[in-house]
Amino acid sequence: MTNLTFTMIKPDAVENSHIGAILNKINSSGFEFKAMKLTKLSREEAEKFYEIHSERPFFNDLVKYMSSGPIVAAILKKENAVNDFRKLIGSTNPAEAEEGTIRKMFATSISANAIHGSDSDANAKIEGGFFFQNHEIF
Ligand code: GTP
Ligand code: MG
């Protein structure tokens, strides 16, 4: 899945009415939408999605938070998508995120940090496949 990445607009950003502004920022930064849906994770789905963090102390809070409200899931296309998107979203902790990044602009805390971005091509493929079937990716 080279040139593709996966993102979720997290429950805090949906709740705070930032969907439109975030999608606009993504689009105007050169990313093309290949798939997108407004949906909600069950507790079990959130546990599965974040399985890799299951030993971390914040796992329970993370799962609870990620299943607390609707999210927007999307597959994005751009040259160097994974790395460029990680730059666009900024540091995990919004207090450390650079000016102009999505987390700096829209996140409220390290746990409610507005947006997810895949950290590798392999994970982008797994995470995109978690939400979308092949025929839903344009
Ligand atoms: P994602 O794009 O969401 O994967 O974030 P990331 O890649 O910048 O961070 P990482 O994968 O290390 O952690 C996943 C998510 O767990 C983060 O986005 C945070 O919401 C949450 N998280 C990470 N570190 C902490 C922490 O120290 N405390 C709490 N409460 N949450 C954390
Ligand atoms: Mg991550």
Side-chain angles (χ1 to χ4, degrees):
M1 203 149 117
T2 318
N3 293 342
L4 296 180
T5 192
F6 170 80
T7 187
M8 274 187 288
I9 301 177
K10 296 186 178 183
D12 61 296
V14 174
E15 168 79 18
N16 294 327
S17 305
H18 294 317
I19 293 177
I22 291 174
L23 292 180
N24 189 33
K25 176 98 181 149
I26 292 170
N27 222 177
S28 64
S29 302
F31 292 86
E32 191 186 326
F33 296 103
K34 303 297 283 180
M36 181 157 55
K37 68 170 72 151
L38 178 70
T39 184
K40 187 168 181 283
L41 290 168
S42 66
R43 198 187 160 86
E44 293 69 30
E45 287 167 334
E47 279 172 0
K48 194 161 168 240
F49 186 88
Y50 280 111
E51 211 164 36
I52 192 167
H53 295 309
S54 63
E55 302 304 318
R56 310 268 289 264
F58 56 83
F59 181 67
N60 247 317
D61 288 343
L62 177 61
V63 165
K64 197 169 156 193
Y65 162 66
M66 286 304 298
S67 55
S68 68
I71 54 117
V72 174
I75 293 176
L76 307 172
K77 184 177 178 186
K78 185 183 182 294
E79 213 174 288
N80 200 28
V82 166
N83 289 334
D84 284 2
F85 195 71
R86 297 284 298 188
K87 271 186 222 141
L88 179 64
I89 70 179
S91 300
T92 309
N93 185 351
E96 292 164 10
E98 274 183 51
E99 218 48 64
T101 60
I102 291 175
R103 281 171 170 163
K104 180 72 176 184
M105 293 167 79
F106 301 111
T108 45
S109 68
I110 190 167
S111 41
N113 62 0
I115 192 157
H116 165 81
S118 301
D119 59 12
S120 64
D121 285 352
N123 281 337
K125 190 172 164 61
I126 293 167
E127 293 170 2
F130 191 92
F131 286 91
F132 301 101
Q133 293 183 267
N134 277 338
H135 73 272
E136 297 175 296
I137 305 169
F138 298 103

